[in-house]
Amino acid sequence: MTSPPVQVERRVGQRFPYVLAVPFRQATNSVEGMAFTQDLSSRGVFFFSDAPLIEGSEIELTLRMPSEITLGESMPVRCRGRILRIIRPAASSGMALPDADRAESKIGVAVRFEGYEYLAEPAESANTFPRVASLHPQREEDRLAHASTRE
């Protein structure tokens, strides 16, 4: 019996299996869309998409980088990279696929990151939330008693 050939692992960063929704934009042909990741590292990502992406082109993805990669808090990041390879799905028989098999109908895309832009967290202003006191009806005598103690 012959054993399969040994393959050398070329990845530098440890990969983590994360399924994240990822919006992307390919600058070459202005293709934009959504994808979902299979795995992610500090150096790259592998994701699935329906979009007509081009191998070798630049791509920009926005995602929440998990704490395992940032070694701190998870944070929103815009990543710029290059598409290293595209894996086309095997020819389908034209039958509708169950949800679990939909990934097999999409292309797989391997991207190497070339740069990051850390994005600001959305500010949660106190003005966007109702005041706690306004959520609870106040009895008239309590309101008057509180007003007289402030004078």
Side-chain angles (χ1 to χ4, degrees):
M1 184 167 158
T2 309
S3 61
V6 175
Q7 293 186 339
V8 176
E9 177 64 45
R10 296 181 294 177
R11 293 176 189 89
V12 176
Q14 180 182 359
R15 294 187 304 162
F16 297 94
Y18 279 103
V19 177
L20 301 169
V22 179
F24 65 84
R25 183 175 61 85
Q26 181 177 276
T28 310
N29 56 2
S30 300
V31 170
E32 293 185 12
M34 286 295 288
F36 61 94
T37 63
Q38 174 177 299
D39 55 54
L40 178 64
S41 78
S42 62
R43 306 285 296 237
V45 64
F46 186 82
F47 65 84
F48 292 100
S49 174
D50 292 340
L53 299 172
I54 301 168
E55 192 170 312
S57 64
E58 292 181 4
I59 191 165
E60 184 178 277
L61 305 108
T62 304
L63 55 95
R64 179 165 279 285
M65 195 67 79
S67 59
E68 288 86 348
I69 294 173
T70 65
L71 301 178
E73 294 293 319
S74 65
M75 62 182 63
V77 178
R78 183 174 299 124
C79 305
R80 291 179 320 284
R82 188 161 304 276
I83 297 175
L84 296 179
R85 106 184 133 270
I86 294 178
I87 301 168
R88 309 251 174 237
S92 66
S93 62
M95 295 173 33
L97 297 172
D99 288 342
D101 295 331
R102 288 211 176 128
E104 295 175 15
S105 69
K106 299 180 181 299
I107 61 169
V109 181
V111 173
R112 180 186 65 232
F113 295 146
E114 296 174 345
Y116 300 98
E117 177 185 351
Y118 294 96
L119 305 174
E121 290 281 356
E124 293 183 356
S125 167
N127 295 335
T128 62
F129 298 104
R131 293 178 49 100
V132 172
S134 69
L135 297 175
H136 301 286
Q138 197 172 26
R139 293 186 322 192
E140 183 65 22
E141 56 270 11
D142 290 344
R143 189 178 62 75
L144 292 173
H146 181 69
S148 66
T149 59
R150 284 193 284 168
E151 294 175 358

